[in-house]
């Protein structure tokens, strides 16, 4: 019998009308950094890389998120009907205090709160939409 092999998930890709702006939101929100060559250009220079495809890395250098140019991206309207969530990122923090701190950070970076379940004694959480319309959750785990 031969051993089965499987593809490895490399990264999650988010479509965005403005890949740089969306990448910057997630870079700042989650403390990620750009793959070498994907960094923003110096002020006043054109952003050739930011027009099409960008990759963000974890602190250990592994891939995390990528952003591809898509001109017709409809942001989710979840939990309201219309445009389904399609996918979202689950993230966690270790305490309710951390959840509160990250709530303020998310809002300060331009996220909008879509759902608040901080009163749940088993798994407090909040669901946000980023400035480009993608959902992400922060919950206590």
């Amino acid at each position: 019998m031969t051993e089965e092999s499987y593809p490895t998930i490399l990264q999650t890709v988010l479509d965005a009308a403005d890949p740089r702006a969306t990448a910057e939101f997630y870079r700042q929100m989650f403390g990620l950094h750009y793959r070498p060559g994907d960094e923003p250009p110096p002020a006043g220079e054109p952003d050739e890389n930011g027009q099409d495809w960008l990759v963000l890395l974890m602190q250990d250098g592994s891939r995390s998120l990528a952003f591809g140019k898509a001109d017709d991206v409809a942001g989710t309207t979840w939990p309201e009907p219309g445009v389904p969530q399609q996918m979202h990122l689950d993230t966690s923090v270790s305490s309710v205090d951390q959840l509160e701190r990250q709530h303020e950070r998310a809002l300060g970076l331009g996220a909008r709160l879509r759902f608040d379940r901080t009163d749940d004694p088993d798994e407090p959480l909040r669901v946000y939409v980023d400035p480009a319309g993608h959902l992400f959750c922060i919950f206590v785990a």
Side-chain angles (χ1 to χ4, degrees):
M1 202 185 269
T2 62
E3 188 174 316
E4 189 72 31
S5 66
Y6 300 95
T8 301
I9 296 172
L10 181 64
Q11 62 201 359
T12 299
V13 178
L14 300 175
D15 289 343
D18 185 344
R20 177 67 69 197
T22 305
E24 273 298 296
F25 172 84
Y26 284 97
R27 183 188 68 77
Q28 293 177 46
M29 185 68 213
F30 297 110
L32 304 172
H33 64 277
Y34 286 102
R35 171 180 66 176
D38 284 354
E39 300 89 350
E45 291 188 23
D47 188 5
E48 298 299 325
N49 292 341
Q51 298 301 307
D52 184 43
W53 183 260
L54 297 167
V55 175
L56 291 176
L57 307 175
M58 303 287 283
Q59 295 304 317
D60 67 4
S62 61
R63 289 177 179 235
S64 179
L65 297 171
F67 306 87
K69 175 74 170 169
D71 290 323
D72 192 21
V73 179
T76 180
T77 56
W78 183 93
E80 301 300 321
V83 180
Q85 63 177 308
Q86 300 161 10
M87 70 157 287
H88 67 272
L89 299 175
D90 278 346
T91 68
S92 65
V93 293
S94 60
S95 69
V96 172
D97 287 342
Q98 276 295 320
L99 181 62
E100 291 303 318
R101 282 195 281 278
Q102 297 310 318
H103 173 69
E104 295 305 320
R105 286 191 63 246
L107 296 178
L109 291 169
R112 295 180 312 277
L113 182 65
R114 283 286 175 88
F115 181 73
D116 188 333
R117 197 176 77 194
T118 53
D119 59 351
D120 185 319
D122 297 320
E123 189 179 68
L125 69 88
R126 288 190 173 113
V127 181
Y128 303 88
V129 64
D130 72 23
H134 306 101
L135 289 174
F136 67 98
C137 302
I138 304 175
F139 59 92
V140 178

